[in-house]
Amino acid sequence: MTDKAPKKRNTLGVEFSGSNETGQQITLTTADALKKVFRTEHDETANGLLRHCFKVLGSSEVSDDLQGNDERLFMLNSIEGIAPRDGVERMLAVQMSATHVAMVRSAGRLANASTLEQVKVHYSGYTKMARTYTAQMEALRKHRNGGKQTVTVQHVNVEDGGQAIVGNVQSGEGHT
């Protein structure tokens, strides 16, 4: 039994229907909805990134036939939530969303594994996806910060007679 549903709508202004077999129908219910999701001024970029989202999903994940498996809106919502600022971040946001979906897919397979060999295979896939996602988050952080790490000290106690130094402190030979 399928639980067919009409077009799926969200606050992003995008509706999806169809499947890989019947063709995907995308309707924008607000002007430039895809360009807003991907934060680009170019239709070609937004359309290309949307195609990339669909390419990484399985047939049941881009279909009206199994509403509970449909990941199309999730992909767009997660990318919109990352709020990419440039081309590198747009592509990384698509990769992060795809990695997350793959990680959850792998976790589901792990949860349903019935043999030790299946557990090993799915556990390995899951942990690789989890590490990849963490690396992607770190890459996004570094890209946004220009590779710099910032440490903020919120509270310092200096006792009577003590001294506090504010600024860059270097130690070792040749430094005073």
Side-chain angles (χ1 to χ4, degrees):
M1 178 179 183
T2 62
D3 78 12
K4 285 198 177 230
K7 297 176 182 178
K8 287 137 193 86
R9 174 183 259 178
N10 73 9
T11 58
L12 297 177
V14 181
E15 293 180 348
F16 295 108
S17 63
S19 67
N20 285 346
E21 292 75 26
T22 63
Q24 298 287 337
Q25 288 80 40
I26 297 105
T27 304
L28 304 182
T29 59
T30 60
D32 299 330
L34 285 179
K35 291 195 295 189
K36 289 177 184 174
V37 168
F38 293 110
R39 288 181 167 69
T40 179
E41 294 298 316
H42 306 285
D43 287 322
E44 298 83 4
T45 300
N47 292 333
L49 290 168
L50 179 65
R51 284 191 306 274
H52 294 174
C53 289
F54 287 179
K55 285 179 182 179
V56 300
L57 296 173
S59 292
S60 68
E61 296 169 326
V62 289
S63 174
D64 298 334
D65 292 339
L66 297 168
Q67 186 178 5
N69 286 353
D70 195 338
E71 300 288 358
R72 294 175 287 192
L73 286 177
F74 170 80
M75 293 281 290
L76 291 185
N77 275 311
S78 65
I79 292 164
E80 193 268 342
I82 292 170
R85 300 176 185 171
D86 60 24
V88 169
E89 290 189 16
R90 280 188 277 282
M91 291 183 287
L92 188 54
V94 171
Q95 291 173 24
M96 290 174 72
S97 184
T99 300
H100 175 79
V101 169
M103 185 173 61
V104 170
R105 189 186 302 133
S106 185
R109 290 177 180 149
L110 176 60
N112 292 301
S114 59
T115 68
L116 182 58
E117 188 60 34
Q118 289 174 340
V119 169
K120 288 178 182 178
V121 168
H122 296 307
Y123 178 79
S124 175
Y126 176 79
T127 56
K128 287 175 184 177
M129 289 292 115
R131 283 189 208 116
T132 299
Y133 189 79
T134 301
Q136 290 167 330
M137 287 177 41
E138 181 65 10
L140 179 62
R141 184 196 63 76
K142 283 183 178 180
H143 180 75
R144 287 186 172 172
N145 292 336
K148 300 174 194 165
Q149 284 191 340
T150 303
V151 176
T152 303
V153 178
Q154 295 183 346
H155 185 77
V156 176
N157 284 329
V158 180
E159 300 293 328
D160 285 340
Q163 295 181 345
I165 300 172
V166 178
N168 293 329
V169 179
Q170 299 178 349
S171 61
E173 288 186 27
H175 299 286
T176 58

